[in-house]
């Protein structure tokens, strides 16, 4: 067990802590929830950096890292649904898109096809996703606009990835 894998396990442990913070009765509950999300994001960046820099990439990390990311994202979406902050339709579209991307990548990975590396489209979508999460957490007026913009951009990004994938694997 190396340090990047331990950091990934820490991220997995943050998932239930996020729920506890989000649904707590504390007047600071959203700040705690945001703090947990920030900690999760920072440990994700750190474990990826360490794994690449020191060649500490392991089969366990390859599986657990995206699992930790998606579980946290799913937890955020579920908490927003349960609290009435987003609609089932919006949640369903976000979950469908992420599930489709994960399953498609896994399918082609196991068929030894080239996987498209991250692009600025994907990075932009991720930044917009996190801005949207903060806006929804704190119930900012622009939250709904950001949510639907994020959903739209995420589907555009998916089509860009599919196009690039086809071009790389001809």
């Amino acid at each position: 067990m190396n340090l990047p894998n331990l950091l990934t396990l820490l991220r997995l442990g943050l998932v239930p802590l996020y729920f506890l913070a989000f649904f707590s009765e504390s007047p600071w509950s959203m700040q705690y929830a945001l703090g947990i999300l920030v900690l999760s994001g920072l440990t994700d960046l750190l474990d990826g950096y360490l794994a690449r820099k020191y060649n500490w990439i392991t089969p366990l990390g390859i599986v657990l890292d995206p699992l930790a990311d998606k579980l946290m994202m799913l937890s955020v979406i579920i908490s927003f649904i349960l609290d009435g902050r987003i609609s089932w339709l919006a949640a369903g579209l976000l979950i469908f898109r992420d599930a489709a991307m994960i399953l498609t990548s896994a399918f082609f990975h196991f068929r030894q096809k080239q996987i498209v590396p991250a692009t600025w489209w994907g990075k932009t979508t991720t930044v917009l996703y996190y801005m949207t999460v903060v806006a929804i957490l704190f119930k900012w007026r622009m939250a709904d606009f950001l949510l639907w913009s994020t959903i739209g951009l995420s589907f555009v990004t998916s089509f860009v990835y599919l196009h690039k994938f086809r071009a790389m694997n001809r």
Side-chain angles (χ1 to χ4, degrees), residues 18 22 33-34 37 73 76-77 80 85 126-140 143 146-147 150:
Y18 166 80
F22 186 88
L34 179 60
L37 290 174
M73 290 174 72
V76 169
I77 292 168
F80 288 169
R85 292 172 189 243
T126 300
V127 168
L128 187 58
Y129 175 82
Y130 284 109
M131 289 171 48
T132 301
V133 166
V134 172
I136 293 170
L137 264 178
F138 295 105
K139 298 181 179 180
W140 294 346
L146 285 174
L147 174 63
T150 300

Side-chain angles (χ1 to χ4, degrees), residues 18-170:
Y18 166 80
F19 275 113
L20 288 172
F22 186 88
F23 290 109
S24 83
E25 296 296 322
S26 167
W28 295 93
S29 61
M30 293 307 116
Q31 287 84 349
Y32 295 148
L34 179 60
I36 290 166
L37 290 174
V38 168
L39 180 59
S40 179
L42 291 175
T43 57
D44 185 25
L45 291 173
L46 182 59
D47 80 55
Y49 169 78
L50 292 173
R52 285 186 299 279
K53 179 172 173 122
Y54 296 106
N55 198 27
W56 290 342
I57 297 169
T58 65
L60 179 65
I62 289 170
V63 171
L64 287 184
D65 183 71
L67 177 65
D69 294 343
K70 296 307 176 192
L71 281 176
M72 184 58 83
M73 290 174 72
L74 185 59
S75 297
V76 169
I77 292 168
I78 289 169
S79 68
F80 288 169
I81 292 170
L82 293 174
D83 198 49
R85 292 172 189 243
I86 65 172
S87 69
W88 281 95
L89 175 61
L93 289 170
L94 288 169
I95 292 168
F96 171 78
R97 184 268 183 175
D98 278 348
M101 290 296 287
I102 291 167
L103 293 173
T104 302
S105 292
F107 177 79
F108 290 115
H109 172 76
F110 289 117
R111 294 193 181 279
Q112 278 73 46
K113 300 288 186 180
Q114 290 183 7
I115 303 297
V116 178
T119 66
W120 71 268
W121 283 96
K123 292 177 188 302
T124 302
T125 300
T126 300
V127 168
L128 187 58
Y129 175 82
Y130 284 109
M131 289 171 48
T132 301
V133 166
V134 172
I136 293 170
L137 264 178
F138 295 105
K139 298 181 179 180
W140 294 346
R141 272 188 261 184
M142 68 178 122
D144 202 47
F145 171 78
L146 285 174
L147 174 63
W148 290 104
S149 297
T150 300
I151 291 167
L153 183 59
S154 72
F155 277 90
V156 168
T157 300
S158 296
F159 289 119
V160 168
Y161 274 103
L162 287 173
H163 176 74
K164 285 182 177 279
F165 175 79
R166 283 187 52 204
M168 288 173 59
N169 287 286
R170 284 190 183 181

